[in-house]
């Protein structure tokens, strides 16, 4: 015992000696250390690494971050400095947002004098088209392949996203960040101007302004590799340290008439499915405004659901209607492929055989001359009975648009359907279906899957001088237009569900469309969302933000948009019931005969005229269902049938700027540091070796091991 204590004392003492020596010697060089005043950048977004069965894409920094002298690149010619002329490599490029193109990035990709890129957000949106997605989104996971319509495979007939430069699916070996905020851009530029621009003709003086980016990624190679590693760790270690996680979330689905979620629908019962997607992406992590690519479709769908629910005969229609909102569609159809899989395995209350027809709302906000396009699949219509049903479906929709400001037009029958969730259903069963879009051929959306697919992209503008509440209720032209589309969709669905002809009374509500657009594209922390977000499910503050939600699917579920859509659906199509809080939260315990049909949400309620909220219970048919790619349930990480996308884990993502001393000074500092280390190691060794002389302690001869 005594020996252990004395050893401990001894090493403590030598540690103190080392620290003292460091301190003494270090004080000579404190100048260069003090000059390193760090300013952290607080509004950045980073590109991260994602992996699929065969590839890794995205970016990463080295383990301890990458540092370089800042060089501002405003025009292509400025690159010359970074690539060849500049005397102080390595460089970090502060890149003008308009230059964030494939051409520039390919020039920079192999450059040894470059350690990273910070892209400045363009404001207003760039003049040029800007889509970092590929020309043929979700290629290989839709229906067209060598065995089904090979003439349409790989976008042979229609390049859907002609503006896509594919950068989001490239692999970069250096960090790339987005500087989102103009003021931070200004801070960086100021630092650059103050330190990195030589006064006319003179030589650059140290210290220089440098940028440091941290985004080291743990996973490498592909999903097969990283999941195998994660699973080994899971099996053999008590403290699993996974390196990547599958992209997962939940789909939201509801029905016009409740269905028994504990059972299976009678095979004879037919149901009309209307679907849209909930997610989007961009080059940068968790930056996915998705205004046209996701929000336009699902907002229209919710508005149609509300319009139908209000009808007096909504519960008596011959066919039920299902509203499906799919998550993770961007990443090779995670949500829809899972629902189809569950339907095939009988793990979903509705089966594929129950589906009467399918209507998908894709991008619908950018209407050119008020026209929306109906896309149908040419191959499935080679079957005559299916062709007849598709014709009937198209006829009903065309009729529903009569006497409205929406012109529906059928796309040439020889054209394939655009990338859509419907393709996954069609793959499993020949279902008559239509995809509704604002584009006839290539996308109208110039900013598909980019950071600029924002409210601005779909012309959602408010008059100056309105407060938040007034903006929320202000009916913009965009809201007006989407309301019209929702009206047409609701009328068409009503007819498809076997409703009578008096469908002209069906009207979507421009007020709710306006409120949804505000909540989903401008600010989710608004009075309406505050009053409908279930308190127990999740702390309201954690899903409401003073900005627009982002629609990246991510790995933590449920994602904000998923919950928000569910709560909005519950509010617009649900019923207030007089349950107590306990009854509302534990409906399964009660003898309530309807517990298989509904879900119950305890919501905060609005203030009304009082100073406190009056919470109440809402009964809803809005459910969540898993949106996990079947590849991960099957442990088939190399699947080519199902999505295999995973997101790498990381320790930290951050960016900061500071002044660096010259290389020579840094080398001197390093040499001195190493010298101190060696000296102190020698000192420690010496002290340890001569400890008996230096420290007189009683030694226990028996205790050798410690
Ligand atoms: C970021 O936040 C930190 C701490 O609040 C602050 O010191 C720093 O100045 C901020 N960065 C910028 C660029 O404003
Ligand atoms: C994985 O992603 C890469 C990059 O987008 C793509 O080239 C490749 O085909 C994908 N692999 C599979 C199996 O889908
Ligand atoms: C940027 O700075 C200006 C002036 O300091 C301030 O008014 C503005 O709100 C800031 N913008 C942001 C986005 O922080
Ligand atoms: C160039 O240097 C001279 C003298 O140092 C100074 O007066 C002048 O303002 C400088 N010009 C610019 C453009 O900085
Ligand atoms: C729903 O299905 C479950 C299981 O099949 C059954 O026990 C229950 O009675 C059904 N509820 C209703 C309302 O039909
Ligand atoms: C056409 O499709 C229907 C329904 O999917 C199916 O029952 C029928 O067998 C198909 N006919 C042919 C000729 O494939
Ligand atoms: C949301 O807004 C309320 C005021 O309406 C505010 O008190 C609250 O802090 C905000 N929540 C978040 C997360 O910003
Ligand atoms: C929906 O929200 C509004 C505003 O908070 C509220 O007045 C209404 O009662 C809610 N309806 C349902 C069914 O929750
Ligand atoms: C709810 O309302 C029904 C009828 O409107 C009434 O019979 C019942 O007692 C009420 N339940 C509670 C908990 O107030
Ligand atoms: C709130 O007050 C206004 C006028 O003061 C009244 O018309 C309205 O009915 C009140 N609303 C509620 C929910 O009490």
């Amino acid at each position: 015992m005594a020996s252990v204590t004395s050893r401990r004392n001894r090493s403590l003492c030598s540690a103190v000696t080392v620290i003292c020596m460091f301190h003494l010697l270090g004080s000579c060089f404190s100048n260069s250390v003090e000059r390193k005043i760090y300013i952290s950048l607080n509004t950045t977004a980073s590109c991260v690494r994602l992996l699929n069965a065969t590839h890794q894409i995205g970016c990463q920094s080295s383990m301890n971050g990458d540092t370089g002298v800042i060089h501002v690149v405003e025009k292509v010619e400025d690159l010359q400095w970074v690539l060849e002329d500049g005397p102080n490599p390595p460089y970090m490029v502060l890149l003008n947002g308009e230059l964030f193109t494939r051409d520039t990035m390919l020039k920079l990709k192999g450059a040894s004098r470059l350690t990273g890129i910070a892209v400045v957000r363009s404001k207003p949106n760039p003049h040029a088209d800007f889509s970092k997605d590929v020309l043929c989104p979700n290629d290989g996971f839709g229906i067209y392949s060598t065995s089904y319509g090979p003439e349409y495979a790989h976008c042979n007939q229609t390049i859907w996203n002609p503006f896509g430069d594919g950068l989001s699916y490239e692999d970069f070996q250096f960090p790339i960040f987005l500087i989102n905020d103009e003021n931070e851009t200004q801070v960086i530029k100021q630092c650059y101007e103050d330190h990195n621009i030589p006064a006319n003709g003179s030589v650059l003086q140290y210290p220089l302004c440098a940028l440091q980016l941290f985004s080291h990624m743990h996973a490498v190679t592909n999903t097969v590799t990283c999941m195998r590693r994660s699973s080994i760790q899971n099996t053999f270690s008590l403290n699993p340290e996974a390196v990547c996680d599958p992209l997962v979330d939940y789909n939201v689905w509801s029905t016009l008439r409740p269905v028994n979620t504990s059972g299976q629908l009678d095979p004879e019962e037919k149901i009309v499915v209307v679907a849209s997607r909930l997610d989007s992406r961009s080059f940068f992590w968790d930056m996915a405004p998705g205004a046209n690519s996701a929000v336009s479709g699902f907002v229209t769908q919710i508005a149609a659901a509300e319009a139908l629910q209000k009808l007096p005969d909504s519960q008596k229609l011959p066919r039920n209607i299902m509203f499906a909102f799919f998550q993770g569609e961007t990443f090779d159809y995670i949500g829809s492929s899972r629902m189809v899989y569950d339907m095939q395995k009988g793990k979903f209350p509705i089966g594929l055989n129950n589906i009467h027809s399918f209507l998908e709302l894709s991008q619908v906000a950018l209407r050119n001359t008020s026209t929306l396009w109906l896309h149908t699949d040419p191959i499935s219509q080679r079957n005559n009975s299916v062709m007849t049903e598709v014709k009937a479906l198209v006829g009903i929709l065309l009729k529903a648009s009569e006497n409205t400001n929406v012109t529906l037009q059928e796309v040439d029958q020889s054209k394939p359907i655009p990338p859509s969730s419907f393709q996954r259903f069609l793959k499993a069963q020949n279902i008559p279906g239509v995809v509704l879009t604002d584009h006839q051929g290539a996308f109208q959306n110039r900013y598909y899957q980019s950071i600029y697919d924002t409210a601005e992209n779909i012309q959602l503008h408010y008059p100056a001088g309105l407060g938040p509440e007034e903006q929320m209720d202000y009916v913009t032209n965009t809201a007006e237009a989407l309301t019209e589309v929702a009206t047409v969709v609701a009328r068409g669905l009503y007819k498809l569900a076997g409703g009578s002809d008096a469908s002209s009374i069906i009207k979507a509500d421009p007020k709710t469309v306006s409120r949804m657009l505000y909540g989903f594209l401008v600010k989710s922390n608004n009075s309406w969302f505050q009053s409908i977000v279930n308190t127990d499910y999740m702390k309201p503050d954690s899903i409401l933000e003073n900005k627009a939600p982002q629609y990246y699917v991510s790995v933590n579920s449920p994602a904000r948009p998923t919950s928000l859509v569910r709560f909005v659906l519950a509010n617009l199509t649900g019923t207030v019931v007089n349950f107590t809080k306990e009854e509302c939260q534990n409906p399964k315990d009660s003898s309530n005969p309807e517990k298989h049909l509904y879900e119950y949400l305890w919501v905060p309620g609005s203030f009304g005229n009082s100073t406190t909220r009056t919470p109440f219970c809402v009964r809803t048919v809005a459910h969540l269902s898993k949106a996990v790619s079947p590849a991960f349930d099957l442990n088939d990480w190399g699947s080519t049938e199902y999505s295999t996308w995973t997101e790498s884990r990381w320790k930290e993502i951050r960016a900061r700027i500071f002044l660096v001393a010259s290389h020579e000074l840094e080398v001197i500092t390093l040499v001195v540091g190493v010298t101190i280390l060696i000296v102190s190691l020698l000192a420690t060794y010496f002290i340890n070796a001569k400890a008996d002389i230096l420290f007189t302690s009683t030694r226990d001869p028996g205790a050798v091991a410690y």
Side-chain angles (χ1 to χ4, degrees):
M1 271 295 116
S3 102
V4 174
T5 322
S6 72
R7 277 220 178 238
R8 221 182 258 150
N9 281 345
R10 224 180 287 156
S11 32
L12 192 75
C13 190
S14 42
V16 169
T17 325
V18 172
I19 291 170
C20 294
M21 289 171 75
F22 257 118
H23 201 78
L24 265 173
L25 285 167
S27 60
C28 314
F29 297 93
S30 58
N31 270 353
S32 66
V33 177
E34 266 170 30
R35 254 187 260 138
K36 286 195 178 179
I37 297 167
Y38 296 104
I39 301 177
S40 55
L41 303 174
N42 308 321
T43 62
T44 59
S46 165
C47 154
V48 305
R49 178 170 291 162
L50 302 178
L51 309 100
N52 71 1
T54 52
H55 288 67
Q56 64 178 33
I57 61 168
C59 320
Q60 78 159 344
S61 75
S62 51
M63 187 92 87
N64 298 312
D66 287 320
T67 310
V69 172
I70 297 175
H71 190 71
V72 174
V73 172
E74 297 279 10
K75 46 191 190 306
V76 179
E77 296 81 69
D78 297 343
L79 286 173
Q80 180 71 13
W81 182 269
V82 176
L83 298 176
E84 302 192 2
D85 298 347
N88 316 98
Y91 285 100
M92 276 280 176
V93 167
L94 187 71
L95 191 67
N96 178 334
E98 304 257 357
L99 290 182
F100 184 44
T101 61
R102 190 171 187 89
D103 279 353
T104 321
M105 293 307 288
L106 288 185
K107 268 190 204 133
L108 295 174
K109 202 169 175 179
S112 58
R113 289 161 52 96
L114 176 98
T115 44
I117 300 179
V119 180
V120 175
R121 189 191 184 103
S122 297
K123 223 170 201 181
N125 285 354
H127 301 295
D129 313 312
F130 188 100
S131 171
K132 304 290 126 188
D133 209 303
V134 288
L135 296 169
C136 190
N138 293 20
D139 189 20
F141 289 84
I143 186 157
Y144 302 113
S145 67
T146 43
S147 57
Y148 188 100
E151 64 270 38
Y152 302 121
H154 313 302
C155 295
N156 227 343
Q157 292 256 331
T158 316
I159 301 288
W160 296 110
N161 187 29
F163 314 118
D165 66 12
L167 279 186
S168 290
Y169 290 87
E170 296 278 329
D171 183 37
F172 293 96
Q173 290 303 325
F174 50 78
I176 304 177
F177 276 56
L178 174 74
I179 314 288
N180 222 343
D181 174 280
E182 291 154 277
N183 288 356
E184 289 209 349
T185 308
Q186 214 40 55
V187 170
I188 304 173
K189 283 192 174 161
Q190 195 61 51
C191 184
Y192 165 77
E193 278 162 20
D194 291 349
H195 300 278
N196 297 7
I197 299 183
N200 46 24
S202 71
V203 185
L204 262 188
Q205 294 285 312
Y206 277 101
L208 296 176
C209 188
L211 174 65
Q212 190 172 31
L213 302 177
F214 298 84
S215 62
H216 181 68
M217 297 290 140
H218 294 184
V220 287
T221 317
N222 56 39
T223 292
V224 178
T225 311
C226 76
M227 287 300 291
R228 193 188 298 134
R229 203 179 139 189
S230 300
S231 79
I232 290 171
Q233 301 242 359
N234 255 320
T235 319
F236 294 112
S237 160
L238 287 174
N239 186 13
E241 269 283 327
V243 291
C244 68
D245 303 284
L247 295 178
V248 296
D249 201 59
Y250 290 93
N251 299 320
V252 182
W253 67 280
S254 78
T255 45
L256 193 57
R257 216 172 30 235
V259 297
N260 189 341
T261 52
S262 308
Q264 282 284 321
L265 213 58
D266 183 338
E268 292 306 304
E269 202 175 321
K270 294 295 173 199
I271 194 158
V272 178
V273 177
V274 49
S276 57
R277 66 168 59 182
L278 279 180
D279 72 307
S280 175
R281 74 164 297 195
S282 77
F283 187 83
F284 301 100
W285 185 75
D286 207 21
M287 295 290 295
N292 197 37
S293 68
V295 179
S296 70
F298 77 68
V299 161
T300 306
Q301 187 174 325
I302 297 173
E306 186 198 17
L308 288 167
Q309 197 75 42
K310 282 196 301 210
L311 295 178
D313 60 345
S314 70
Q315 302 302 303
K316 298 192 210 81
L317 291 172
R319 293 184 200 103
N320 203 347
I321 300 175
M322 169 173 165
F323 303 90
F325 302 83
F326 295 118
Q327 261 289 8
E329 295 298 277
T330 302
F331 294 97
D332 299 337
Y333 304 118
I334 297 173
S336 56
S337 66
R338 180 52 185 254
M339 190 174 281
V340 169
Y341 177 82
D342 284 346
M343 284 178 166
Q344 286 172 323
K345 295 268 180 273
K347 288 182 183 156
F348 195 78
I350 297 158
L352 284 170
N353 285 323
N354 295 118
I355 300 178
H356 168 266
S357 48
F358 199 105
L359 171 62
E360 176 157 348
L361 306 179
S362 184
Q363 313 187 62
V364 292
L366 294 174
R367 269 193 282 158
N368 209 349
T369 64
S370 86
T371 306
L372 281 184
W373 297 91
L374 301 171
H375 301 256
T376 56
D377 172 49
I379 310 290
S380 59
Q381 292 184 71
R382 289 181 186 161
N383 176 325
N384 276 332
S385 74
V386 172
M387 183 168 79
T388 316
E389 288 176 74
V390 172
K391 287 253 178 304
L393 172 55
V394 170
I396 285 174
L397 291 171
L398 290 178
K399 187 136 198 313
S401 70
E402 281 172 7
N403 305 322
T404 67
N405 290 334
V406 182
T407 315
L408 291 188
Q409 239 175 301
E410 207 183 346
V411 176
D412 185 346
Q413 298 255 324
S414 67
K415 298 285 185 212
I417 43 174
S420 49
S421 314
F422 176 51
Q423 294 201 10
R424 294 303 303 208
F425 284 80
L426 209 47
K427 229 177 158 172
Q429 184 143 331
N430 201 344
I431 296 167
V434 166
V435 180
L436 191 67
T437 71
D438 56 16
H439 53 89
Q440 180 183 12
F443 295 162
Q444 289 276 337
N445 191 355
R446 297 160 55 221
Y447 302 130
Y448 183 71
Q449 312 288 44
S450 87
I451 56 173
Y452 302 113
D453 189 8
T454 55
E456 187 186 334
N457 186 30
I458 61 167
Q459 280 92 46
L460 184 67
H461 300 297
Y462 299 98
L466 294 187
E469 292 300 300
E470 292 159 319
Q471 285 190 348
M472 184 167 80
D473 287 330
Y474 183 85
V475 181
T476 56
N477 291 341
T478 308
E480 201 93 65
L482 288 182
T483 309
E484 283 163 2
V485 179
T487 300
V488 171
V489 167
R491 288 178 185 177
L493 289 173
Y494 180 76
K495 215 55 226 299
L496 284 171
S500 69
D501 240 346
S503 67
S504 59
I505 57 156
I506 303 175
K507 276 205 168 64
D509 185 354
K511 205 98 188 166
T512 45
V513 173
S514 304
R515 294 179 142 222
M516 281 193 274
L517 288 177
Y518 184 82
F520 287 118
L521 290 175
V522 181
K523 193 166 114 175
S524 58
N525 189 17
N526 58 64
S527 63
W528 181 36
F529 281 12
Q530 282 165 6
S531 73
I532 63 173
V533 162
N534 172 236
T535 39
D536 316 298
Y537 196 70
M538 210 180 256
K539 287 261 172 289
D541 273 1
S542 70
I543 75 166
L544 298 179
E545 304 163 284
N546 288 330
K547 57 181 177 114
Q550 299 299 315
Y551 296 90
Y552 173 66
V553 50
S554 196
V555 297
N556 304 315
S557 46
R560 289 190 174 108
T562 308
S563 306
L564 290 176
V565 163
R566 177 167 175 246
F567 296 138
V568 169
L569 261 182
N571 181 261
L572 294 177
T573 64
T575 323
V576 179
V577 288
N578 65 348
F579 281 14
T580 62
K581 188 174 180 187
E582 284 67 35
E583 286 172 322
C584 194
Q585 286 169 334
N586 305 303
K588 303 264 184 253
D589 300 346
S590 69
S591 54
N592 178 0
E594 294 181 328
K595 65 185 172 187
H596 297 291
L597 303 180
Y598 297 104
E599 292 189 28
Y600 298 85
L601 299 170
W602 186 250
V603 300
S606 53
F607 284 110
N609 284 351
S610 79
T611 54
T612 53
R613 294 180 186 276
T614 325
F616 56 88
C617 188
V618 179
R619 192 186 72 183
T620 174
V621 288
H623 308 282
L624 296 182
S625 76
K626 261 202 230 167
V628 179
S629 169
F632 296 102
D633 274 28
L634 301 166
N635 281 354
D636 180 11
W637 304 314
S639 175
T640 50
E641 166 70 13
Y642 298 113
S643 168
T644 52
W645 287 106
T646 51
E647 183 186 276
S648 170
R649 290 198 180 176
W650 58 82
K651 194 161 139 252
E652 60 175 350
I653 285 186
R654 65 195 170 93
R656 60 187 186 179
I657 57 175
F658 56 92
L659 299 180
V660 281
S662 75
H663 260 308
E664 292 80 47
L665 195 53
E666 282 186 345
V667 169
I668 293 170
T669 315
L670 182 69
V671 169
V672 170
V674 170
T675 316
I676 293 173
L677 184 67
I678 292 169
V679 168
S680 45
L681 284 178
L682 285 175
T684 315
Y685 176 77
F686 171 78
I687 292 167
N688 257 335
K690 302 288 177 197
D692 295 344
I693 304 162
L694 287 173
F695 311 100
T696 47
S697 67
T698 50
R699 198 171 172 196
D700 182 354
V704 179
Y706 53 90

